[in-house]
Amino acid sequence: MSRTHIIVPGLNGSGDGDWQHHWMADHEHSELVEQSDWSNPHAGRWLARLERAVIAHPGAIIVGHSLGAILIARLASSSVAPLVGGALLVVPADIERTSTIHARTYEFGTLPTDALPFPALVIASRNDDYMSQEKARSLTSAWGATFLGFGDNGHINIASGFGRWTGGYDLAQQIEAKADRRLRHDIGKGLVENVYQI
């Protein structure tokens, strides 16, 4: 099955050299969720944009970075959650710590803790300024996701040496495989009647 990849950047969006843009160039079936104001993240407005992308691409794998990963986790309580194939959550950002680092408050609510109804993999570094690895582990457990420690690689951005990140493609394939197995299981059990087109 060939699934669309929905790319969800975090605060300040994704520059031309960021791995998110390389991902778009390297994957024909991919779409970046554009926000109207990247420097002022607003939970409700950002989530509405993401939900529209999910509706347009049912069964997609969502790849989020930083606050984008937190945004994806908010889909747990969204009506579009059943349409999500799976998610790769790359160094989720602690909202309070992000506000402290940038010396301002963002309207992004609190960290979501509801279990995700789709397969998800959380990537976390030991030396990420935006979230401790311990907190990332705790959130991963709450979300019912799989945790992958990623060494001392900072915030997995250009500043920490990540331009084109081909290793992320392999991780997304792992999520796709889990999504495919889940779909086949649900079809076999008669749990889905109208299967979305992939």
Side-chain angles (χ1 to χ4, degrees):
M1 296 180 180
S2 177
R3 296 175 181 265
T4 298
H5 291 176
I6 297 175
I7 311 301
V8 186
L11 179 66
N12 296 323
S14 174
D16 289 340
D18 289 341
W19 59 262
Q20 294 101 317
H21 273 273
H22 286 296
W23 198 302
M24 296 283 294
D26 293 344
H27 292 82
E28 179 183 359
H29 302 290
S30 59
E31 175 179 306
L32 190 142
V33 177
E34 287 288 352
Q35 300 294 348
S36 59
D37 190 344
W38 285 110
S39 60
N40 293 290
H42 183 281
R45 288 194 291 269
W46 279 33
L47 183 61
R49 291 283 181 96
L50 175 55
E51 288 175 330
R52 286 199 288 272
V54 170
I55 291 170
H57 302 285
I61 301 301
I62 313 178
V63 182
H65 178 254
S66 193
L67 285 182
I70 297 300
L71 185 69
I72 294 168
R74 294 193 191 285
L75 288 174
S77 57
S78 169
S79 62
V80 308
L83 299 178
V84 177
L88 178 62
L89 308 176
V90 184
V91 287
D94 185 324
I95 298 167
E96 291 184 7
R97 186 176 287 195
T98 300
S99 297
T100 299
I101 291 173
H102 294 279
R104 56 174 298 186
T105 300
Y106 296 102
E107 296 182 61
F108 218 65
T110 57
L111 288 171
T113 56
D114 291 343
L116 300 175
F118 45 80
L121 175 63
V122 176
I123 313 298
S125 298
R126 285 191 296 261
N127 61 340
D128 181 8
D129 290 337
Y130 288 85
M131 181 177 286
S132 70
Q133 195 172 69
E134 288 184 1
K135 191 159 191 175
R137 282 185 184 274
S138 178
L139 278 176
T140 300
S141 178
W143 293 338
T146 301
F147 180 86
L148 176 62
F150 208 60
D152 297 319
N153 284 295
H155 201 48
I156 308 183
N157 53 13
I158 290 179
S160 56
F162 288 83
R164 176 174 273 108
W165 179 37
T166 57
Y169 307 160
D170 295 332
L171 298 175
Q173 286 183 343
Q174 293 178 29
I175 295 297
E176 287 194 41
K178 286 185 178 181
D180 292 344
R181 288 195 297 271
R182 185 184 67 158
L183 181 59
R184 287 193 294 269
H185 172 269
D186 290 351
I187 292 173
K189 294 290 186 179
L191 299 177
V192 290
E193 295 180 0
N194 298 312
V195 180
Y196 44 71
Q197 296 298 312
I198 299 176

